[in-house]
């Protein structure tokens, strides 16, 4: 196979999409005290744009790095999973801060970041 052939091929994913990755892998693997005080999680994580973006990035990084049998998973944990999970599960300032693992999702309790119009 030439480099031209390789560039045109779509990657084969182990997980069909981010939803399967989160429900079948990440949610089964990650075990934390999610009490809403020290860490939190939203059962409707996909309703949070930042969480969806971060979890999609985690999934795509996992799919890429799983191909490296030597350092791939260590790299994924250290440089992708650990930092993203710290932000996602931060009970004070993470995207799930108003949600509860027991009481569920709170719809968009925070405003988007303020942005001024671009100068002309």
């Amino acid at each position: 196979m030439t480099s031209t052939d390789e560039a045109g091929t779509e990657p084969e994913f182990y997980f069909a999409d981010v939803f399967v990755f989160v429900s079948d892998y990440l949610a089964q693997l990650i075990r934390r005290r999610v009490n809403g005080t020290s860490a939190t999680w939203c059962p409707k994580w996909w309703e949070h744009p930042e969480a969806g973006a971060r979890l999609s990035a985690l999934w795509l990084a996992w799919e890429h790095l799983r191909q490296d049998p030597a350092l791939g998973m260590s790299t994924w944990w250290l440089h992708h999973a650990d930092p993203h999970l710290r932000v996602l599960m931060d009970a004070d300032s993470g995207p799930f801060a108003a949600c509860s693992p027991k009481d569920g999702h709170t719809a968009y309790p925070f405003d988007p970041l303020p942005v001024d119009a671009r100068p002309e």
Side-chain angles (χ1 to χ4, degrees):
M1 180 178 274
T2 67
S3 61
T4 307
D5 294 336
E6 291 172 7
T9 61
E10 292 290 320
E12 279 193 38
F13 292 133
Y14 185 86
F15 294 103
D17 57 38
V18 66
F19 294 95
V20 176
F21 172 75
V22 172
S23 63
D24 292 2
Y25 181 72
L26 200 64
Q28 305 307 313
L29 180 67
I30 303 299
R31 306 292 173 112
R32 300 285 188 278
R33 180 178 298 132
V34 286
N35 55 14
T37 303
S38 59
T40 195
W41 180 260
C42 182
K44 291 187 179 180
W45 57 267
W46 58 89
E47 293 286 338
H48 301 268
E50 179 185 353
R54 285 179 177 278
L55 290 166
S56 292
L58 273 181
W59 167 54
L60 293 172
W62 186 92
E63 292 287 358
H64 176 77
L65 290 167
R66 74 182 176 90
Q67 305 292 334
D68 177 355
L71 297 175
M73 286 297 95
S74 182
T75 299
W76 182 78
W77 279 107
L78 291 172
H79 298 287
H80 300 277
D82 289 344
H84 282 298
L85 288 171
R86 271 192 297 276
V87 171
L88 286 168
M89 300 179 86
D90 187 302
D92 291 324
S93 63
F96 306 140
C99 298
S100 163
K102 289 183 181 177
D103 298 328
H105 174 67
T106 300
Y108 303 106
F110 308 114
D111 293 329
L113 296 174
V115 178
D116 290 339
R118 187 173 95 184
E120 299 205 24

